[in-house]
Structures are given as C-alpha cells and as structure tokens.
Amino acid sequence: ILLLCVSGMRAETARYSVPEEAERGSFVANIAKDLGLTGGELLARQARLVPEGEKQYFQLNQHTGDLVVREQMDREELCGQSEPCLVRFEVLLESPLQSFRAEVRLTDINDHAPVFLNKEIVLKIPESAMLETRFLLESAHDPDVGNNSLQLYTISSNEYFLVYTRRRSDGGRYAELVLDRALDREQQAEVAFSITAVDGGTPPRSGTALIRVVVLDINDNIPVFTRSLYKVSVMEDSSQDTIVVVVSASDLDSGTNGEIVYSIVQNSEENFETFKINPETGQIRLKKPLDYEETKTYEIDVQATDGGGLSTHCKVEVQVKDVNDNAPEVIITSLTSPLSEAAPPNTVVALFNVRDRDSGDNGRTTCELTGEQPFRITLLAADAYALVTSETLDREQVAEESTAEYNITITATDWGTKRLSSRESIFVQISDVNDNPPEFTQEVYTMSVTENNSPMLRIGSMKAKDADAGKNAHVSYALVQQEGKEQPEVSVNAENGDVYILRPLDYEKVRAFEVTVRAADGGSPPLSAQAVLRVTVRDENDNAPVLLHPSPDSSAAGELVPRWAPSGYLVAKVVAVDADAGQNAWLSYELAKATEPGLFRVGLHSGEVRTARAVTERDAARQRLIVLVRDRGQPSRSATATLAVALVDGFSEAHLRVSEEAPAAEPDGPLTLYLIASLVCVSALFLATAVAAVVVKVRRARRSETEALPTFPTTATESSAGSLPRSYVYDVCFAAGTVNSEFRFLRPLFPCFPAGLPPGPGEQRSSVCSQDAANLGGEGG
C-alpha cells in the first residue's frame, strides 16, 4: 500500500500567485480542481496543508477545495530583495497517504517610497572641472522590487548640472551628476538643488534629498584608481577585522592636492555595517562576520579624494563563499500521541520537515532514528518525511515509572565536508489494551490457622499482578465454585485478596483443605488466572487424655500382687490416648498418690506400674494408687487413674476375696467391649511376635556351637504412644460359679523356655509357667 501511495505522488509542483498584503480570506486557487479531486474526496481523505516553515500563511477549505489567505504577508519582510518570493507548502492527503508540493508567489505592490540615507549631499567640485565630468551620487533605497523599485533620478532645474540614471549589474539604479556648464567660483561659490528618486509603481512614489555643490579652487589632477572594478571572494566564516581587499589610487598633484583619502560611499546601510576602510592605506576590512545565507554578494563603492577635494571612485564586488556552518533543522509539523499499542505497522506517528540553510552538498540532508525502536522514517517529498510504526507495539515493554512512552530521537545530518547534525526528540505515549492476564506471585499459597479460631479471621493474602494499566490492571479475586463440593470454609476479599476463615475449625475433623482462587482484571473482555490455596489446621491442646485402662467410669480396678514379688514386678499398665496431635498428644505418667509411696513406681512414658522394691510382710495387704496422666500441651491437660492393689500369699484365695468385694460390672457395658477388643488385638500381635522370635532363636541355635538364650525383638520395648505394648498379653479369669464373665486380672505373660535353661539377664519367669498357673487354670476351668 505504501509503495502504491508513493508511486501515486505527483512530482510536479503546483504554482500560484497572490499579491502581498492580501486580506485574510482572499481567494488564491482551487486546489481540488488542480488535483482532479472533489471537495468530498478532500474531506474524506483528510486533506491538510503542511507548511515548509513554522508558520502557516494559507488555509484549505476541505469542503470546496479553495485555497485562501490565512494571514497577511509582507513580501519585503519574508524575502527582502530576493525575487521571486515564494511561499512553499505541501498538500497532504491521508487514507491513502499522498503528498503534493505547491508554491505561491508573492507579487510585489508599491508600498514603499525611495529613501535617501542622507537628506543633504555635499559635493566639492573644483572650478576647473571639465564639462561632462561625472560625479557619483548617493543612491536612494527602495525595498520594493521589479517596476515598483527605484527607476529614475531627477534633479531640480539648475544651470550647471544634469543627472543620468545608471544601472548596476545587480539591477539596482544609481545617479551620476554630469557637469553641463563650467563652474566659476567667483560668480557662484555654491550651487544647491534637489534630487528626486522615483519608482515605477502606479501611482509612483518618490523620495528627495538636497545637493550642495561647493566650488573649489583649481586642482589640476584627480586621483585615479589602479582598477575600476575589484572582484574578491571571502569565506563566510572569516573572522572580524579580516582584510577583504586593498584598493589603491594615485594623484599626480603634489602637496596637499596629492594626498589621497579613501572612503566608502554609503550606497547601502548593510555595506556600511559590514565593511570599513582605512582612509590612508585603502585596506577594506570586515566589521562583523559574514553570513552566506543572508547575503551572497556585496557591491561596495569606494571613493578616493585628494587634498584639493578632487575625488574618483571604483567598485568592489565581494563574493561570499558558503561554508557548512548551519546544522539541519528538524521541524515537527504533526504528531499523534497517545498511540494505541494495538496500532498496526505503517501507522503514521509524526510528520516533519528538515531544513538546512547552507547550499550545495552542505544543504543536502539525511535522516535516521537513534537506537532500536519499532519505528522508521519514510521519505514523502524533498525534505519532507513521515515517522511510521515498523512493527506491532507493546506498551508493557516500555512502561517506566508511571508512564509508558517512547522517546524517539530523530537525527538529521548534512553532506558537508565537516558534517553537521542536529537531533529532535519527540515523546509518543502508548495507550494500553487488555492483552495481559493477571499473574499470581505463587502457583500454590499455603496458609495455616490454629483450630478453634475466631470467625472471619484473616490468615493471609493472595496477590496477583497485571502488566496492563488503568482499568485493565484492576484485579479482583473470587473463589472458584466446584460442583459436588461443600461450601469452602474460607472467603477471599475481592479487592485486595485477603483470605478469611469463615467459622471455627476443628483439627480433629479437618486437618487441611484446598480451594481454587481466580484473579480477573477489569478489561473487556476480562482476562483471568487461577492459583491453589492450601489451608492447614494447626492442632491446639483442646483434648484431655482419655483413659482406656482402667476405665474412669468403673470403680477402682483391682490388681493382685504376690507377696514374693521382687523389685520391678509388673503390677498393671495404665493405658491412655489423646485426640490431639504432636506434642499435645505426647503423654507422660507419674504416681500422684500411693498408700506406700516407696513400694510402687510408674513408667514415665509406658504407664507400667511396677514394684519399686521387693514386697515384704510388713506391707499393707491393700494398696491404693492414683496415677496422673498428663500431655505436653501448653497449657497441659491431665487425667487420673485409680488402681487398687491387693498383696496376697495365694492366688486363688485372693482372687475369690477380690471377686466378693469387687462390684459386678455391667454385662453390656461399652468399656468391657472396648477392652476385650483391645486385648484380642494386642494378644494377636504378641503371639505373632513370639512365634517369629522362637523361629529366629531356633535357627540361630542350630548354627551356633553354644546354645544362646532367646531374646525379645527390639520392637517389644516400652511403648511411648499411649497404647498397650506388644510384649504383653493378658489372661482373662472368670469367677467360679458365675454366669457372666468379668474382667478381673491383668498380668504379663512370657513364653516358657525349655526345661533346664536358666533365665536370661533381666528376665523373670512368668507365674503362668509355674504350678500356680496350673492351679489357676483348673479353677478357671
């Protein structure tokens, strides 16, 4: 499309003319007709004028195609003496992009009258001046050009002089005074008359000055220049006081009449401000630096006057040579900002012109962009360019601080030997589109809460960021509802992502759960992302230990201990559990109270009640023990178990006595069922362990030369988890003559070793293997 547009641009330039100082709204031409377009097409294609300079002097009516004057123009202010005076601009059509060059010539009107710099001109002429002698007069100045400029000089009526109008090589006119009649100082020492400069306008304008001719005594010779025309060239970068040329004149007279003084005839104010001459040596120097772009040629009139008042003149033409002293200027004529980041490639961002006041290669320019950016420069016409996008934009790649914009630097460089360049920076803001979804800072958020929490407790926050801006970056949070699942126990603040627990949690019921949280932005349509929220419940010591044996609901449990029991004899085992977890469920046992504190001890972690010393005859037959079970929570919780211990000589008699005194348990009590089930499980585990131990011992005995005693596996150590150890099984004894079975006695059971094997270290033979066991079996049967 761009190639088609560029190939469709017209190379020719449309030319029009309008008189200077034309009123605003003055009709110049119909551009639509010249371009072969209609007013509707101009409006549809968004036609507009792009001036060459910074100021717009014309205006285009898009409906009619008429080009009219926007501001009054002074030709002399815009162009000075240059002719023709052209105001250039471009007609730019968008959709598709097309450009036409046009120029309007400002025609001069006679709005200035000729003016003499000095209102009185004094000439000193010797009386011996020959007829037809010519005298150069000061020129009048008229800013107009063409026929409206100075055309003719006339003088008032007098007896001695005539005036002739001469034309210089640059087109300017000057006056020469010609002696028509010999002067006689004795008859008339001074002649005065007026000179009038008339231009060619309609009506003509004129300016007048007074000429006073002072007649001098005879001076036979006048100065003579070595050359009537001096042509020199000066570089425009020459410094002040540089010698431009040295003029020389000679006079054959002697004495005062032969002394020559040089001076510059003030034929223009610019020459007088730019050059100076040494009156004695004739050296012409610069009074100020030159500027090729303002004036390319100077024409200086130099006069040589001797001591007798005779003078002559010569011309000095100074050609100014251009140097590359002007950097190119980048003039932005149109800028689109902000620009949508969804703008397609080849979107016009800015229009600009490049101007260099130098000439030749010094005035030729090239343009380029500094740095790597998604833009490029397209040439529209001579020194007219367009800045367009070269690829798709991304606001998030250039987002800095609180704004997102491109800093585009255009560099214009000329083709001079010493290349000069200039830079112009433009800032193009990029408007946002919703092309980025929110992003959570984590894929999975893990938060914890202590059970029994207060309702609506804040436990943390989930954060999602969106690279977009404004409404497109406003993130809202919501839980993702999942079908078939109960209402989650949490809620998420839609604005800031804070997570709240809705109701108190119970660690013993719910230890952890997960929900999905969605973060959506405010774009249209909105974009979203999801993250997993995992909530773990921390345990709190809100459960006291629960006794399994002895049951807290039953009366004090009865235990039988033989009088021959040695130190370390297992009396009973207190079994408790805690519904909490971790440290809150670690249980410790201690003897809180006893009939004889020194007789029994309790395992700190096992809950086993053993004799602390051997039982003696002096010990009371009935002992009452209170065991305290405590967890390690903060603060800790506890429970107590009460044990009744009977010291007996014989098992059967003691058993019957305890049976008579102990109250009958409820046949269908729940504790009995729990204990029986626990005993069955523990017994099964113990039997399996015992069988495995026996098998291992037998195999080892066969392999070893000497027979070793069997040992228990390491798994049969004291339990610290609050349950029955695996190394114990218990006998259930039933009272003779009773219908309902009752749990009466618990004691450890060890395997019987072969006859003749002595007991191992730290081991005691169980009474089950003794004769008492046989008797007890008979009674139980």
Side-chain angles (χ1 to χ4, degrees), residues 697-718:
K697 293 297 181 180
V698 171
R699 289 182 178 179
R700 288 182 179 179
R702 291 177 180 177
R703 295 177 183 176
S704 61
E705 294 180 358
T706 61
E707 194 174 35
L709 290 177
T711 59
F712 287 105
T714 58
T715 56
T717 58
E718 291 185 356

Side-chain angles (χ1 to χ4, degrees), residues 586-638:
W586 295 354
L587 303 180
S588 62
Y589 303 83
E590 59 183 86
L591 186 61
K593 188 176 181 181
T595 304
E596 294 186 18
L599 182 57
F600 299 98
R601 59 182 173 86
V602 179
L604 179 63
H605 300 295
S606 64
E608 294 177 349
V609 180
R610 294 178 179 270
T611 57
R613 58 178 174 79
V615 179
T616 63
E617 293 295 333
R618 293 190 301 272
D619 294 328
R622 296 185 180 278
Q623 302 284 333
R624 183 179 178 84
L625 307 179
I626 297 177
V627 178
L628 178 66
V629 184
R630 190 195 312 268
D631 60 26
R632 294 189 182 181
Q634 293 295 332
S636 64
R637 293 175 177 267
S638 61

